[in-house]
Amino acid sequence: MAAKPRVATCSLTGCFGCHMSLLDIDERIIDLIGLVDFDKSPIDDIKSFTGPVDVGIIEGGVSNDENVEVLRSFREHCGVLVAVGECALTGGVPSMRNLVPLKECLEEAYLKGPTLVGGAIPNDPEIPLLLDRVYPCHEVVRIDYMLPGCPPSADVLWTALAALLKGEEPKLGYELIKYD
Amino acid sequence: MKKFTFVLNGRDVEALEGQSILEAADGAGVYIPRLCYHKDLLPGGHCRVCSVKVNGKVANACTMPAADWMVVDTDTEELNEYRRLIIELLFVEGNHFCPICEKSGDCELQALAYKFGMTAPLWPTLSKNPPVDASHPDVFIDRNRCVLCGRCVRASRERDGKSVFGLEGRGIRTRIALDSLDGLGMTALGRNDAAATICPTGSLVLKRVGFTTPYGARAYDKAPIGSEIEKKEE
Ligand code: SF4
Ligand code: SF4
Ligand code: FES
């Protein structure tokens, strides 16, 4: 028997809503488990790639240096890379900070907040360094397919995944293209 | 009014003298995509989304009067590609966070992007980042979402007799100006003015009415923009 296609997923700067939406495919999840094996993903908690992967699914935009690293390693390991959800496609809600300079954002959150006493801007080397702004994934690596939605509905994710696993182009009908 | 026929997408259709190509097409059940046009206002001709081919040349359907010598094409791959590009550029010229926008689901810009199958704008954003003006008790203006269609300008002038809004500046620096330097709250704009609800996007919005319609029941959740015009013909 040929090996099942391998799928990897990650959440960069997102809220895990897109992953939740994947769980929303209800009993079709049983079909999915039968169809694919999960590699690196929060779904099975595998932390690093075990080898090449057929389909990589990216939730979230790129707001810090760790996001850049993870996204690049997904590009390296995955044959097809799919960006899902508004954060991955446009930066989404986290990118609302792009309207304010980063320094002001940090000062507001950590120094000037009305409930703060003796605040300090976190500066631990363990904490990923923030980028100047939040970027959509396609501005960092090549993305093969984009699935919009906040989050994309379970039907969007299922329709697209089912097509990709058959080696077809995902085609979304009118009711499946939504930005909210 | 005198009636005549012209050729629209390969078939003869009737038009009345004085009708624009867009109005005549509406009457014939052919939807020409549009953004700055509004049926209750004089046409502005700003957005070019309504571009069609008239005897092979690109023209504005909302401003050009129909005539009996015309052979008009409205729905070619080339035209739809222009339209998609205009829509995409409008997205990156502003800052459109649809997931948190009061207008989402009822927004004509978003609906056009859906119609043309845009998954996400691929151009880098322009980052003009203008501030929101919420100084009016009943209406706010968030120019991050303004597409400079001029509908508020025309509605205030033609329907409300007020001229609260105007277009200021040139080219990429064009913006909507107010007739007060102290913000929307100091203008004569009223909650019941035509201008307060005529915006196609979430730029000029009534306060305290957002997010009241559930998903699935909003204007463009189920059927593409223009379906109501195309239905007339069937
Ligand atoms: S104005 Fe329209 S396109 Fe812009 S954020 Fe709001 S819903 Fe989206
Ligand atoms: S505020 Fe709205 S109606 Fe006025 S020009 Fe901008 S998009 Fe058009
Ligand atoms: S609708 Fe004709 S130019 Fe905007």
Side-chain angles (χ1 to χ4, degrees):
Chain A
M1 197 186 94
K4 286 194 261 177
R6 300 188 72 76
V7 174
T9 78
C10 69
S11 179
L12 305 175
T13 301
C15 67
F16 265 93
C18 298
H19 275 80
M20 288 310 198
S21 199
L22 184 61
L23 300 182
D24 248 359
I25 61 177
D26 301 331
E27 72 278 4
R28 288 173 291 186
I29 199 127
I30 296 166
D31 298 334
L32 185 65
I33 299 297
L35 284 171
V36 303
D37 278 329
F38 280 95
D39 200 277
K40 176 181 162 70
S41 168
I43 290 176
D44 54 15
D45 212 23
I46 297 181
K47 305 282 191 213
S48 37
F49 284 102
T50 62
V53 159
D54 301 281
V55 179
I57 295 175
I58 312 284
E59 164 188 332
V62 183
S63 75
N64 62 39
D65 61 350
E66 194 228 359
N67 291 162
V68 175
E69 207 176 290
V70 173
L71 183 56
R72 285 191 177 144
S73 105
F74 264 73
R75 183 67 275 180
E76 257 167 52
H77 287 88
C78 304
V80 172
L81 206 54
V82 190
V84 304
E86 288 307 299
C87 299
L89 268 53
T90 69
V93 170
S95 69
M96 291 181 75
R97 84 147 150 100
N98 294 355
L99 307 195
V100 183
L102 178 58
K103 190 161 177 280
E104 269 176 51
C105 274
L106 287 169
E107 285 173 357
E108 187 62 32
Y110 293 106
L111 300 181
K112 296 187 195 149
T115 57
L116 277 175
V117 183
I121 294 175
N123 194 21
D124 192 292
E126 288 286 312
I127 299 174
L129 211 56
L130 290 179
L131 304 179
D132 61 334
R133 52 202 306 272
V134 182
Y135 294 86
C137 291
H138 67 258
E139 288 191 19
V140 180
V141 300
R142 182 171 55 79
I143 297 292
D144 300 301
Y145 298 106
M146 297 185 171
L147 305 179
C150 191
S153 67
D155 284 335
V156 171
L157 295 171
W158 177 252
T159 307
L161 260 179
L164 282 172
L165 294 174
K166 278 191 238 153
E168 294 166 6
E169 293 243 327
K171 288 248 182 318
L172 301 178
Y174 179 80
E175 282 189 53
L176 294 189
I177 296 186
K178 292 284 172 288
Y179 308 150
D180 60 8
Chain B
M1 248 183 289
K2 229 180 78 194
K3 269 191 191 168
F4 62 92
T5 61
F6 71 107
V7 182
L8 185 66
N9 295 342
R11 89 190 149 93
D12 282 344
V13 299
E14 267 188 3
L16 296 173
E17 207 173 55
Q19 272 187 326
S20 65
I21 298 172
L22 186 142
E23 287 164 337
D26 276 5
V30 172
Y31 169 71
I32 299 173
R34 77 283 305 262
L35 184 57
C36 69
Y37 172 85
H38 190 285
K39 63 174 175 30
D40 300 335
L41 304 175
L42 293 172
H46 297 291
C47 73
R48 307 280 152 158
V49 171
C50 69
S51 293
V52 294
K53 285 269 179 111
V54 177
N55 297 50
K57 282 177 80 174
V58 177
N60 255 4
C62 71
T63 49
M64 182 171 274
D68 58 3
W69 50 267
M70 286 181 173
V71 178
V72 179
D73 280 307
T74 70
D75 192 18
T76 69
E77 209 173 298
E78 183 195 2
L79 287 169
N80 287 328
E81 185 53 31
Y82 290 156
R83 291 172 183 142
R84 206 190 51 78
L85 193 59
I86 293 171
I87 300 300
E88 198 173 326
L89 289 170
L90 287 173
F91 265 84
V92 295
E93 192 177 323
N95 290 297
H96 294 270
F97 302 102
C98 294
I100 55 105
C101 180
E102 292 83 347
K103 196 78 172 191
S104 194
D106 294 315
C107 169
E108 293 174 37
L109 177 69
Q110 185 190 61
L112 285 163
Y114 290 164
K115 181 177 169 67
F116 293 114
M118 182 182 93
T119 47
L122 298 183
W123 305 85
T125 55
L126 196 62
S127 299
K128 283 201 282 193
N129 310 349
V132 176
D133 177 348
S135 58
H136 192 286
D138 297 316
V139 190
F140 71 82
I141 181 165
D142 180 353
R143 292 182 179 83
N144 290 290
R145 303 165 178 168
C146 174
V147 291
L148 297 171
C149 67
R151 264 159 56 166
C152 54
V153 179
R154 281 174 280 147
S156 184
R157 193 170 52 216
E158 294 167 24
R159 302 273 309 283
D160 307 329
K162 288 186 182 174
S163 289
V164 168
F165 303 95
L167 287 159
E168 170 183 84
R170 287 288 176 272
I172 202 69
R173 289 194 191 80
T174 310
R175 54 173 239 133
I176 284 293
L178 310 172
D179 71 351
S180 159
L181 291 176
D182 298 316
L184 204 54
M186 298 304 281
T187 68
L189 182 72
R191 184 192 165 84
N192 297 321
D193 286 2
T197 50
I198 203 126
C199 181
T201 74
S203 178
L204 198 57
V205 181
L206 287 182
K207 291 182 177 177
R208 296 178 294 278
V209 298
F211 309 113
T212 41
T213 317
Y215 284 35
R218 302 168 306 176
Y220 307 117
D221 280 336
K222 297 263 193 278
I225 187 166
S227 304
E228 65 298 343
I229 289 168
E230 282 165 356
K231 243 186 250 133
K232 265 195 274 178
E233 190 57 0
E234 278 158 21

